[in-house]
Amino acid sequence: MDHSLKNVLVVSFGFLLLFTAYGGLQNLQSSLNSEAGLGVTALSTLYGTILLSSMFLPPLLIKKFGCKWTITGSMCCYVAFSLGNFHASWYTLIPTSILLGLGGAPLWSAQCTYITILGNVHAEKAGKAGKDVVNQYFGIFFLLFQSSGVWGNLISSLVFGQTPTRGCGMLAVLLVALFLEPIRDSQQKSEGEKKSPLWSNLLATFKLLGDKRLRLLILLPMFSGFEQGFLAGDYTKSYVTCALGIHFVGYVMICFSATNALCSLLYGKLSQYTGRIAIYVLGALTHFCSIAALLLWKPYPDQLAVFFVFSALWGVADAVWQTQNNALYGTLFEKNKEAAFANYRLWEALGFVIAFGYSTYLCVYTKLYILLGILIVTMVAYGTVECLEFKTQIKPLAKEQTNQAQEEEEMQTKM
């Protein structure tokens, strides 16, 4: 087996085990811990803390401890949250939500940085385009990661009220600690062992916002947070639980996770032939149609299949945002990966916080209109970035063609 692929599989299976325990808990929070809004409050606290930790912690921890040990330490925070749910109360869920939030941003930033480096290293050795290999690796990762939703929700559904075993989280920590190989960015090696000042690492996330492309792209992770927040906090509660009962939530989310996982692998391979723009358009159209249909649909218990169709379509669209967004950030901001992925988690967390924050105050139709508006603005901003990238690539090519034409003219003059 290829060396880089082996490490991709190790980190992917680590996340599979970790989120088998955590994923089912998140999807059931708004329904299972509904008393006095405990579940929604816990999710809001969690993503609020991720929002704060995204601003400062990821670049600092990744530079200090490397991707491997940042992932390992952050996983321990998720294990603590899983343990807190065994005796769910305000005194266990809120503190462990804060702890998870502190580890959430470094975990995902380190994972994305690690896979991006692996993809670029392998691409350089194999003589392939870096963005294609990175996309493929993210596809493999999200195939395994999203399948955690299948197993976690299956356990929660078959034995309702019982969370997935706490041993999964500990196995994830051990797997990554023992078998994941440390990796260093070749760009950092070429720049020498010069250490950045502490304040520089702390502010790296904000400094990267000086890039116009990033300012336009912050809407992509924000929309990702909004749409995931709607699915976990509103679709499961206002549609599935109201019409079918809480015992169907897990099964509906299994459909979402299975579709998401398969599409993630498909997009990872397909993008090298179609390019990322076509896949983004597919995701946007799928979400647009799904949101429009939810605005028109009145759910009834005898329409069982429709509940699963909507969750499957949501998985088809969400797989686009998860695979393509991460690959896009890793490709466009290759020299500042840690700060780029910290920004990604920052704005995605903000989307989650706003979505969960207004969850108890706005009606479902209002939330759907908000989603629709954000989706449209997001795609306009993304299209602007693609235009900027196209112009950037055209300029060197035009200059090269001009030089060639001048050389030919000089040769003809001499002749």
Side-chain angles (χ1 to χ4, degrees):
M1 182 187 292
D2 175 69
H3 188 69
S4 296
L5 181 59
K6 172 252 179 186
N7 283 303
V8 171
L9 291 175
V10 169
V11 74
S12 301
F13 276 107
F15 273 66
L16 167 62
L17 290 169
L18 182 69
F19 282 86
T20 293
Y22 169 72
L25 291 174
Q26 174 180 276
N27 293 332
L28 286 172
Q29 283 301 311
S30 62
S31 301
L32 192 61
N33 298 317
S34 58
E35 186 178 352
L38 174 58
V40 173
T41 303
L43 290 173
S44 300
T45 302
L46 189 160
Y47 286 103
T49 312
I50 289 180
L51 182 66
L52 293 174
S53 69
S54 298
M55 298 179 184
F56 307 106
L57 291 183
L60 180 65
L61 294 178
I62 294 171
K63 296 278 188 184
K64 179 71 175 175
F65 301 106
C67 291
K68 172 182 176 175
W69 295 111
T70 301
I71 292 171
T72 305
S74 299
M75 281 181 166
C76 294
C77 299
Y78 278 74
V79 174
F81 179 77
S82 297
L83 295 176
N85 272 268
F86 279 90
H87 298 285
S89 71
W90 291 92
Y91 301 103
T92 58
L93 277 189
I94 302 305
T96 52
S97 295
I98 293 172
L99 187 61
L100 191 157
L102 290 174
L107 175 73
W108 282 101
S109 298
Q111 171 267 327
C112 291
T113 301
Y114 189 87
I115 288 184
T116 301
I117 295 172
L118 280 178
N120 287 327
V121 168
H122 179 72
E124 190 176 344
K125 291 179 180 177
K128 298 179 180 178
K131 63 179 182 179
D132 291 339
V133 179
V134 170
N135 233 318
Q136 185 179 354
Y137 281 0
F138 273 115
I140 294 169
F141 170 81
F142 279 105
L143 166 69
L144 292 170
F145 165 71
Q146 294 292 358
S147 67
S148 66
V150 175
W151 309 117
N153 283 296
L154 190 61
I155 295 170
S156 298
S157 300
L158 292 176
V159 190
F160 178 70
Q162 299 297 315
T163 50
T165 176
R166 69 191 80 183
C168 288
M170 291 307 300
L171 284 174
V173 174
L174 290 173
L175 178 67
V176 171
L178 294 176
F179 298 105
L180 190 66
E181 298 177 21
I183 191 170
R184 291 191 60 195
D185 194 346
S186 59
Q187 288 182 345
Q188 291 177 347
K189 288 180 183 178
S190 64
E191 291 171 3
E193 298 297 323
K194 215 182 345 181
K195 291 187 177 180
S196 302
L198 177 64
W199 64 267
S200 180
N201 289 329
L202 283 171
L203 299 177
T205 303
F206 297 104
K207 287 165 65 178
L208 194 58
L209 284 170
D211 191 320
K212 182 181 180 180
R213 297 172 303 168
L214 182 61
R215 294 198 300 273
L216 288 167
L217 287 176
I218 61 176
L219 287 170
L220 277 174
M222 273 192 75
F223 176 74
S224 176
F226 272 101
E227 57 93 3
Q228 289 180 76
F230 177 84
L231 185 74
D234 293 298
Y235 184 71
T236 55
K237 184 179 180 181
S238 301
Y239 286 87
V240 181
T241 302
C242 284
L244 301 178
I246 194 172
H247 54 284
F248 269 96
V249 170
Y251 294 115
V252 169
M253 294 307 293
I254 286 171
C255 181
F256 164 78
S257 299
T259 309
N260 202 326
L262 293 173
C263 287
S264 294
L265 182 64
L266 175 65
Y267 299 152
K269 290 183 176 295
L270 196 62
S271 62
Q272 60 184 310
Y273 303 108
T274 64
R276 61 179 177 243
I277 296 177
I279 295 178
Y280 269 113
V281 170
L282 171 64
L285 287 176
T286 305
H287 247 141
F288 185 92
C289 294
S290 298
I291 295 167
L294 284 172
L295 284 167
L296 300 172
W297 180 48
K298 294 186 182 297
Y300 291 99
D302 59 347
Q303 301 172 328
L304 182 63
V306 182
F307 292 89
F308 290 90
V309 169
F310 274 115
S311 65
L313 288 173
W314 215 268
V316 169
D318 184 70
V320 172
W321 314 124
Q322 301 310 317
T323 57
Q324 301 307 303
N325 286 358
N326 285 288
L328 179 65
Y329 268 61
T331 301
L332 294 186
F333 310 105
E334 189 178 350
K335 294 182 180 179
N336 299 285
K337 288 181 285 293
E338 298 88 349
F341 288 122
N343 265 290
Y344 186 94
R345 297 305 151 195
L346 168 64
W347 299 106
E348 184 180 51
L350 182 60
F352 269 112
V353 169
I354 295 173
F356 287 127
Y358 64 47
S359 179
T360 54
Y361 300 101
L362 301 178
C363 69
V364 175
Y365 289 115
T366 304
K367 297 171 192 173
L368 285 169
Y369 280 118
I370 291 173
L371 266 182
L372 208 56
I374 295 173
L375 173 61
I376 293 169
V377 176
T378 297
M379 291 309 294
V380 171
Y382 164 71
T384 304
V385 172
E386 289 290 3
C387 289
L388 291 173
E389 284 299 295
F390 180 74
K391 289 178 181 177
T392 303
Q393 292 170 3
I394 285 294
K395 285 180 181 178
L397 182 61
K399 188 176 181 181
E400 184 180 341
Q401 290 175 345
T402 303
N403 292 336
Q404 287 178 351
Q406 289 176 347
E407 288 176 4
E408 288 176 2
E409 286 179 7
E410 288 176 1
M411 288 179 66
Q412 289 177 358
T413 304
K414 290 177 181 179
M415 292 173 64

